[in-house]
């Protein structure tokens, strides 16, 4: 069992919401430039798609708007195709997928009774573990 499999769906959803927010800010700033920045971007895309892939089947069924096969393919590309990894392709694919994953995480977390945890309502935000790391 890897680290991502040991997390709960709530932890995964919080992680997805946080990382997709970072990715959306990065994408909004324009093309990712520089080897380190591109590497970090691709690593975040890999981690968030990995976490999404481990969500419970019932969550996935509730969100047919998410292209699950494309998310899995993007995760596999960023995880295994290092010699042929094209950051521009990852950016393009992520720009379509990331908002859908963020909307999914936001919607699912809103259904939970403890949705205010980490939302700044007088409670200390919990640290969300990084899947797969």
């Amino acid at each position: 069992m890897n680290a991502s499999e040991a997390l709960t769906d709530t932890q995964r959803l919080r992680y997805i919401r946080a990382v997709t927010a970072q990715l959306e800010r990065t994408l909004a700033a324009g093309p990712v430039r520089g080897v380190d920045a591109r590497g970090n971007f691709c690593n975040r895309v890999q981690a968030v798609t990995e976490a999404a892939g481990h969500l419970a089947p019932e969550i996935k069924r509730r969100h047919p708007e998410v292209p699950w096969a494309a998310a899995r393919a993007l995760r596999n590309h960023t995880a295994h195709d290092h010699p042929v990894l094209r950051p521009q392709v990852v950016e393009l694919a992520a720009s379509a997928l990331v908002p859908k994953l963020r909307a999914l995480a936001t919607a699912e977390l809103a259904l939970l009774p403890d949705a205010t945890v980490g939302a700044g309502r007088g409670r200390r935000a919990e640290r969300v573990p990084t899947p797969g790391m």
Side-chain angles (χ1 to χ4, degrees), residues 1-123:
M1 178 180 341
N2 67 35
S4 181
E5 291 169 343
L7 299 176
T8 67
D9 281 330
T10 301
Q11 290 170 315
R12 286 187 194 101
L13 290 165
R14 287 181 179 139
Y15 178 78
I16 291 167
R17 184 178 59 187
V19 174
T20 54
Q22 294 171 350
L23 289 169
E24 284 183 330
R25 285 191 298 273
T26 300
L27 289 165
V32 180
R33 302 202 190 290
V35 174
D36 289 340
R38 284 181 173 172
N40 289 337
F41 179 82
C42 290
N43 287 341
R44 284 190 180 131
V45 169
Q46 177 187 343
V48 79
T49 52
E50 175 81 21
H54 286 287
L55 290 171
E58 57 270 12
I59 293 175
K60 292 179 181 179
R61 279 193 294 276
R62 284 195 296 268
H63 296 277
E65 73 280 5
V66 175
W68 294 107
R72 186 174 47 255
L74 183 57
R75 182 262 171 216
N76 289 340
H77 178 64
T78 56
H80 302 296
D81 294 339
H82 295 293
V84 295
L85 185 65
R86 296 182 57 199
Q88 299 88 347
V89 173
V90 174
E91 282 182 56
L92 183 61
S95 66
L97 179 64
V98 164
K100 292 177 182 177
L101 289 176
R102 186 166 186 206
L104 168 148
T106 301
E108 290 292 325
L109 287 169
L111 298 174
L112 299 176
D114 64 341
T116 60
V117 174
R121 298 194 181 222
R123 295 184 183 175

